[in-house]
Amino acid sequence: MWNGLVGVAKETYTAALGEGVVPRPLMMPLVRGELVGLIWARPLKVGQDALAGIAELANIAAAAGADEVVLAWETHDVATACELAIVGPAPCLNMVVASRDGHVLHQFPYTEQLLSRSTEGWASVAPDWGPAPAPQPGGELVPPIQTAVNFSYTPIELDHPDPFGVTVVLMEEDGYRISLTEAFAR
């Protein structure tokens, strides 16, 4: 399963970078080893909104009762959006697999090969994936990612017969892009 999730993240990054954008942070919650779906952060404003928007990715995992989560984000993009210092390689696709018992940080650094530049100055690039450093059990996570990991296991308390469905609808209304697997689709 892990290799498949890494493949999805790398394919997503390759496609988006080719269109001149960096994908927003992504969460992939799992329940008993089964993927719930893909949840991309809503459009984020620099600063506190970005910190909150990334941390709120945890809502779907918590509502689903996830026992494991995988988060993916780009080093420079999250640092810039959250006004944080860049920690680790950049540019780099980071992925953390986490459970209640801890987490392992995986990093996939890349260099950018310029494909084209628009008249507005936007660059379309292709990632040239470099060698990945060894996985880091307990590796340092930037604050909004750590918060999302922590809140993924905090039960959502909604007085509703379908707290998961309500959470999905509310997050979609807030601008999160959610693609649930068939087993979890409403």
Side-chain angles (χ1 to χ4, degrees):
M1 165 94 50
W2 173 249
N3 290 338
L5 296 177
V6 170
V8 165
K10 282 185 169 183
E11 288 171 16
T12 299
Y13 270 71
T14 299
L17 292 170
E19 295 173 5
V21 296
V22 176
R24 293 184 194 122
L26 165 68
M27 177 178 271
M28 299 171 271
L30 296 105
V31 174
R32 291 179 294 288
E34 189 171 346
L35 181 65
V36 172
L38 307 176
I39 301 94
W40 285 271
R42 63 177 166 71
L44 305 169
K45 295 180 184 135
V46 172
Q48 288 298 317
D49 182 67
L51 291 164
I54 294 167
E56 289 168 359
L57 287 167
N59 292 342
I60 295 288
D67 43 37
E68 193 171 40
V69 294
V70 175
L71 282 98
W73 72 98
E74 202 285 326
T75 299
H76 189 265
D77 186 56
V78 167
T80 300
C82 297
E83 299 176 310
L84 302 169
I86 294 175
V87 177
C92 181
L93 166 62
N94 300 280
M95 293 182 72
V96 63
V97 59
S99 69
R100 292 178 195 275
D101 300 326
H103 69 270
V104 178
L105 174 62
H106 300 262
Q107 296 180 305
F108 304 97
Y110 60 91
T111 56
E112 297 175 341
Q113 306 302 313
L114 182 64
L115 298 175
S116 65
R117 189 172 296 280
S118 72
T119 54
E120 296 84 24
W122 294 101
S124 172
V125 300
D128 183 12
W129 300 103
Q136 303 167 46
E140 182 180 359
L141 302 177
V142 293
I145 300 297
Q146 183 67 63
T147 301
V149 166
N150 295 346
F151 287 144
S152 291
Y153 308 108
T154 303
I156 297 266
E157 297 194 19
L158 288 174
D159 186 20
H160 191 278
D162 182 13
F164 177 73
V166 168
T167 301
V168 170
V169 168
L170 292 174
M171 287 187 68
E172 287 177 332
E173 287 176 356
D174 284 345
Y176 290 87
R177 197 171 91 216
I178 300 170
S179 176
L180 299 174
T181 60
E182 194 173 309
F184 289 89
R186 357 165 242 215

